[in-house]
Amino acid sequence: MIRLETQVVVIGGGATGTAVLRDLAMRGIDAVLVERGNLAEGTSGNFHGLLHSGARYAVKDPPAAEECIHENTLLRRIAPQAIEDTGGFFVVLTDEDEAFLPRFLEGCRRVGIPTDVLSGAQALQEEPALSPQVRYAVTVPDGSIDGWTLCIGSVKAAKEYGAKVFLYTPVTKILREGDRVVGIEAVDRASGDEYEIRAEYVINATGPWTTKTARLAGLEVPMALDYGTMVVLNGRPVRRAINRCRPPTDGDIIVPVGTAIVLGTTSVPIQDPDDFCIQEWEIDLLLKEAVTMVPVVEEMGIQRYYAAVRPLYTPPAERTEERREVSRAFYVLDHEELDGLGGLITITGGKVTTCRLMAEKTVDLVCAKMGIQAPCRTHLEPLPPD
């Protein structure tokens, strides 16, 4: 057993966990990150790649929309190497879309998302591959973001400030002494080395695996998990992210990523983030809905398809069976306050787009508990270049 000591252990190497590690290190806190696989191996590396403007949530989930547009602006400044500024359209195709348009525009206005309304003819000039049935297109500051590049940048920055990272090292136990967490045990899958890492605080940043990780400490943090399927097509007939102007539902987004487009997404409830299977109807639905917005999709070849699990969480009083109704906002859970167990904090929910803000609020809590007065600077310093 290799024994180490640090101030804070972060569990989870996705966008949120690596952002937390960076923030801790930049505030002078000794920190270690442990991840069961590689960086961005979960949701952060398998979502549709959209840098959210927040417009998708402007009507039904204004807090999440406000977080997205705020962080969208910051990430463009501190992580340009991870972002392509594609811009985005919300397209109006039917009477139902047109009826939703005023609510959509008002929602964007309330949370500060800049928009411009183009006529159908103007939209087709900008994006000739759009359906000729397009009536209007609303411009929004969407983009595409590479989760892997973002995580790598956060880790490089954290290491420059002295943080340590252990990949392919799953946590096997969260150590407790009475009513306090005091560290973790983990095993390196490659070497077989066993680690005991003592710490003042452990942060659970494992996204869809939040429940499984919390159980290692004897706690229950129930998640409202679902997975979403994406289809990747060869070619890039549109320059912008294309969204359907309607309440969020299955198959209403096309994201240009590299030399391809990603069609998204579905919402299928599951119980276990390690146990789900993409279904044929999902692929058919995504293709059908994409063809409605961009007809040439019907002639394009499928490169691959994949899925990611959303780390959805709602407080007990707000729980619902309808996953589309669950807020995309994030939650910082202080288990000392919630469960009487000190030394453990969970950060869950949110989006890749909001990972920096999620980290800031998490580390604010850690600093308050440790009596450390060190302001967040992650919005000021760019990530290291590739």
Side-chain angles (χ1 to χ4, degrees):
M1 179 76 74
I2 300 170
R3 291 179 169 81
L4 304 172
E5 290 189 5
T6 189
Q7 288 179 285
V8 179
V9 170
V10 181
I11 308 174
T16 303
T18 55
V20 168
L21 184 74
R22 173 178 176 245
D23 199 330
L24 289 165
M26 288 178 66
R27 299 201 210 193
I29 298 171
D30 191 34
V32 170
L33 182 145
V34 289
E35 158 60 41
R36 73 174 191 171
N38 203 350
L39 296 176
E41 193 171 274
T43 307
S44 299
N46 292 287
F47 72 120
H48 46 44
L50 184 70
L51 175 69
H52 277 277
S53 64
R56 181 173 173 81
Y57 309 119
V59 173
K60 298 192 71 173
D61 198 351
E66 202 163 5
E67 291 164 1
C68 283
I69 187 59
H70 182 267
E71 292 303 300
N72 175 305
T73 304
L74 284 178
L75 286 175
R76 290 172 187 273
R77 188 169 71 244
I78 68 167
Q81 67 271 38
I83 293 168
E84 182 185 355
D85 183 15
T86 64
F89 272 179
F90 274 72
V91 296
V92 174
L93 300 176
T94 66
D95 290 344
E96 290 79 10
D97 296 353
E98 192 163 344
F100 181 70
L101 179 58
R103 293 174 59 204
F104 175 74
L105 292 172
E106 175 59 19
C108 289
R109 186 197 64 77
R110 283 200 314 268
V111 298
I113 300 168
T115 61
D116 191 19
V117 181
L118 306 183
S119 69
Q122 290 171 318
L124 286 167
Q125 281 187 330
E126 295 287 330
E127 293 286 358
L130 286 177
S131 167
Q133 304 304 314
V134 63
R135 302 181 185 185
Y136 301 98
V138 181
T139 66
V140 297
D142 283 339
S144 93
I145 184 166
D146 186 289
W148 170 257
T149 302
L150 192 64
C151 290
I152 286 288
S154 291
V155 164
K156 288 173 72 173
K159 286 183 174 180
E160 288 178 2
Y161 281 94
K164 297 180 178 63
V165 175
F166 294 85
L167 301 180
Y168 299 101
T169 306
V171 173
T172 55
K173 183 183 292 186
I174 293 178
L175 301 173
R176 291 181 54 164
E177 291 182 357
D179 59 359
R180 187 160 191 89
V181 165
V182 295
I184 64 156
E185 289 183 2
V187 178
D188 186 314
R189 285 164 48 188
S191 67
D193 290 339
E194 298 180 359
Y195 291 92
E196 179 185 279
I197 306 177
R198 292 268 169 167
E200 295 177 55
Y201 281 89
V202 172
I203 297 174
N204 176 4
T206 55
W209 292 269
T210 291
T211 299
K212 290 189 172 186
T213 304
R215 285 174 179 163
L216 296 176
L219 297 181
E220 282 295 320
V221 180
M223 302 288 286
L225 298 181
D226 75 11
Y227 77 85
T229 291
M230 275 75 56
V231 176
V232 183
L233 303 184
N234 291 314
R236 187 165 161 163
V238 291
R239 292 182 291 120
R240 294 169 179 79
I242 307 298
N243 304 262
R244 187 75 177 267
C245 188
R246 63 186 182 189
T249 188
D250 290 351
D252 52 11
I253 187 169
I254 301 171
V255 184
V257 178
T259 60
I261 55 172
V262 179
L263 315 182
T265 176
T266 56
S267 178
V268 182
I270 58 170
Q271 298 299 316
D272 186 340
D274 292 308
D275 184 16
F276 64 93
C277 182
I278 294 172
Q279 302 168 72
E280 187 174 345
W281 69 262
E282 297 178 80
I283 298 168
D284 292 341
L285 181 149
L286 293 176
L287 290 168
K288 177 184 175 183
E289 293 292 338
V291 167
T292 302
M293 293 188 285
V294 179
V296 73
V297 161
E298 193 166 23
E299 304 167 16
M300 298 176 66
I302 295 178
Q303 187 182 103
R304 66 187 181 99
Y305 49 87
Y306 63 98
V309 181
R310 298 179 180 91
L312 303 179
Y313 173 84
T314 52
E318 300 174 19
R319 293 207 173 122
T320 172
E321 291 301 315
E322 176 50 61
R323 298 301 196 260
R324 289 280 184 199
E325 298 298 318
V326 176
S327 173
R328 268 47 174 179
F330 65 86
Y331 298 84
V332 181
L333 308 180
D334 178 357
H335 292 291
E336 186 170 25
E337 181 179 316
L338 293 172
D339 307 293
L341 181 62
L344 181 65
I345 293 168
T346 291
I347 173 65
T348 194
K351 314 289 295 180
V352 170
T353 300
T354 61
C355 66
R356 190 216 61 86
L357 179 62
M358 295 167 70
E360 177 181 342
K361 298 304 182 184
T362 304
V363 181
D364 282 350
L365 177 60
V366 172
C367 287
K369 286 182 167 294
M370 296 178 71
I372 294 172
Q373 294 185 345
C376 178
R377 303 196 327 276
T378 56
H379 59 299
L380 302 174
E381 290 191 21
L383 296 183
D386 291 344

